[in-house]
Amino acid sequence: MKISISLAQLDIYFGDPDKNFAQIEPAVKMAAEQHADIVIFPEMWNTGYDLTRFGEIADPEGKRTKALLSNLAKKYQLTVHGGSVAVARDNAFYNTTYIFGPDGKQLATYEKVHLFGLMREDKYLAAGHEEDHFQIKGVDTTSVICYDIRFPEWLRTLSLDNSRIIFVPAEWPTSRIPQWRRLLAARAIENQSFVVAVNRVGNDPDNPFGGHSGVYNPMGDELLSLDDQPQLKTITIDTDETDDARGFMPVFADRRPELYR
């Protein structure tokens, strides 16, 4: 199945949801003009890592985010992968992904499972516990968020349900961009899956963020790589390549999970 994917690489206004929300519709409109089936945004695009002010700026129950993404998905007739946003729920804060289909209905929710101590996520955020699966044009896909890609056992768990694409919204600092690109390629190779990763650009008070959003095929080839500037690019992939890779080398069938821990 051929699927056209737009990567919306944004700068994020630190702690300013109104300015950040204003960036979303122009990007969705541009993706629709480029005939994308899905557009994906970076991690925590509504607030950035203004963690100490989440009580003021996190989206209560994700209501504002869900209303916007639902409306835009339906208006422009494409799937919107909402990257992730800071959400206030049940007296805690979560790093949360929402995905909406072209009919405006919510397809999936994912809350970041692995919290990144170096950016103090573990001090301010609660961790998620659930998998994320949804379909685009009948193709099974899944999502993780940023630091999750350093845990191959989690991505393998998600990929066992026939996923063909792994989406990765991120805020990955510039200093670790070489590792970012290697990890994405490795996750694609070992899961014989496409990996679509969207990182932010720009700076917050503590870190510069390096962009280099990219798309990797099941052999780990980098099909698309952006630079470190705000931009939107669209690429068409053919998910039949996953069947070719898995048929040639049946890694999933040769697993021995009884030995793993």
Side-chain angles (χ1 to χ4, degrees):
M1 176 64 69
K2 291 185 178 180
I3 298 176
S4 294
I5 303 169
S6 289
L7 287 66
Q9 183 170 276
L10 305 178
D11 196 350
I12 295 171
Y13 295 95
F14 188 71
D16 195 333
D18 288 343
K19 287 185 178 180
N20 290 318
F21 272 87
Q23 299 192 92
I24 302 305
E25 181 164 6
V28 176
K29 182 176 184 291
M30 185 180 297
E33 291 170 347
Q34 296 182 14
H35 307 291
D37 296 303
I38 182 170
V39 58
I40 175 173
F41 290 92
E43 178 186 18
M44 298 272 276
W45 59 258
N46 65 332
T47 61
Y49 270 81
D50 193 357
L51 301 172
T52 62
R53 295 180 58 235
F54 273 179
E56 305 167 47
I57 61 177
D59 189 359
E61 305 290 338
K63 290 181 180 179
R64 182 179 184 183
T65 304
K66 289 188 283 187
L68 176 69
L69 300 184
S70 174
N71 175 64
L72 295 179
K74 189 172 183 178
K75 178 177 179 179
Y76 293 101
Q77 289 293 289
L78 76 171
T79 297
V80 178
H81 187 302
S84 79
V85 292
V87 169
R89 181 177 63 78
D90 298 332
N91 297 312
F93 303 111
Y94 292 86
N95 188 339
T96 305
T97 293
Y98 298 115
I99 299 103
F100 286 84
D103 59 0
K105 294 181 180 179
Q106 188 170 339
L107 299 178
T109 301
Y110 175 75
E111 293 169 341
K112 190 174 186 178
V113 167
H114 301 93
L115 300 180
F116 189 43
L118 287 180
M119 290 179 70
R120 300 181 297 160
E121 280 190 320
D122 56 332
K123 300 284 193 299
Y124 294 94
L125 290 166
H129 300 87
E130 302 293 332
E131 298 183 15
D132 159 44
H133 298 284
F134 61 101
Q135 289 190 337
I136 307 167
K137 298 174 72 172
V139 175
D140 293 303
T141 71
T142 190
S143 300
V144 295
I145 299 174
C146 201
Y147 188 47
D148 284 330
I149 66 170
R150 289 188 180 270
F151 298 87
E153 60 272 38
W154 179 234
L155 276 76
R156 174 55 57 83
T157 297
L158 296 171
S159 297
L160 289 173
D161 284 341
N162 206 38
S163 173
R164 266 39 186 178
I165 307 172
I166 302 168
F167 290 98
V168 188
E171 287 205 34
W172 199 280
T174 301
S175 61
R176 292 188 288 278
I177 288 297
Q179 291 89 342
W180 158 256
R181 298 172 77 176
R182 293 184 188 115
L183 286 165
L184 295 171
R187 300 296 85 87
I189 293 167
E190 67 199 12
N191 292 299
Q192 298 173 312
S193 180
F194 285 91
V195 171
V196 178
V198 177
N199 190 27
R200 69 160 291 186
V201 297
N203 301 277
D204 71 12
D206 298 313
N207 293 286
F209 296 93
H212 284 86
S213 303
V215 176
Y216 298 78
N217 72 9
M219 302 303 290
D221 299 319
E222 191 176 56
L223 305 181
L224 177 67
S225 180
L226 307 189
D227 59 20
D228 60 355
Q229 298 301 307
Q231 60 193 286
L232 183 142
K233 296 287 186 182
T234 302
I235 184 173
T236 299
I237 64 171
D238 187 346
T239 59
D240 289 348
E241 290 183 35
T242 58
D243 295 317
D244 295 340
R246 293 172 186 182
F248 172 71
M249 187 173 295
V251 171
F252 284 31
D254 293 339
R255 295 173 66 249
R256 296 191 62 194
E258 73 276 8
L259 300 180
Y260 308 152
R261 59 185 178 89

